[in-house]
Amino acid sequence: MLRAAKAVVLGILALAISWHQAAMAADCEVISATHSADTKGEALHMSRALAAKSADELKRKRGWSSVSMSPEKVKPDPFFKRVRPVVPQDVIYATFVTAKTYTTCFTGVVVNYVCTSGSKVCRN
């Protein structure tokens, strides 16, 4: 009897944990933003700014009162996918991680520099 009660309690606990994790996942979304520029600094700054703008747009779209952003590694996004469908490792020149974004920067095909910033945006 005691063994059966333990099994039921553990089952309920496992169900509660998985429900909580599913609810947390529903309150978060991964975003990415890519920007190209003539300088490394501008590409980095603008991709981060676009990530922040995307987080604000997500907040409005979902009707959330506030959000938090945390760095999330995403695949670098080449603009000209017909010319370069993926970004090879040898053209990536830097990664930058802040409290809000994970940014990968690489040399472009048509423009000098491109950066893709990723963030996990969660409702607070």
Side-chain angles (χ1 to χ4, degrees), residues 73-95:
K73 186 175 182 179
V74 295
K75 286 179 63 174
D77 184 21
F79 283 122
F80 299 99
K81 291 175 180 62
R82 287 183 182 210
V83 177
R84 183 193 281 166
V86 295
V87 176
Q89 280 298 124
D90 64 337
V91 300
I92 295 174
Y93 64 83
T95 57

Side-chain angles (χ1 to χ4, degrees), residues 9-112:
V9 169
L10 288 176
I12 291 171
L13 183 60
L15 184 63
I17 290 171
S18 66
W19 176 82
H20 177 71
Q21 288 174 340
M24 290 295 288
D27 286 347
C28 293
E29 190 171 315
V30 174
I31 57 151
S32 67
T34 301
H35 189 77
S36 62
D38 290 331
T39 66
K40 293 177 181 180
E42 182 185 357
L44 175 62
H45 174 75
M46 290 306 297
S47 69
R48 288 176 176 166
L50 288 172
K53 184 177 178 182
S54 294
D56 285 340
E57 289 170 0
L58 179 63
K59 180 178 113 176
R60 270 193 303 282
K61 182 178 97 177
R62 293 268 188 108
W64 294 343
S65 58
S66 65
V67 295
S68 62
M69 292 174 67
S70 58
E72 184 78 19
K73 186 175 182 179
V74 295
K75 286 179 63 174
D77 184 21
F79 283 122
F80 299 99
K81 291 175 180 62
R82 287 183 182 210
V83 177
R84 183 193 281 166
V86 295
V87 176
Q89 280 298 124
D90 64 337
V91 300
I92 295 174
Y93 64 83
T95 57
F96 303 91
V97 182
T98 67
K100 294 182 178 185
T101 59
Y102 187 109
T103 305
T104 303
C105 296
F106 51 97
T107 55
V109 174
V110 176
V111 292
N112 291 336

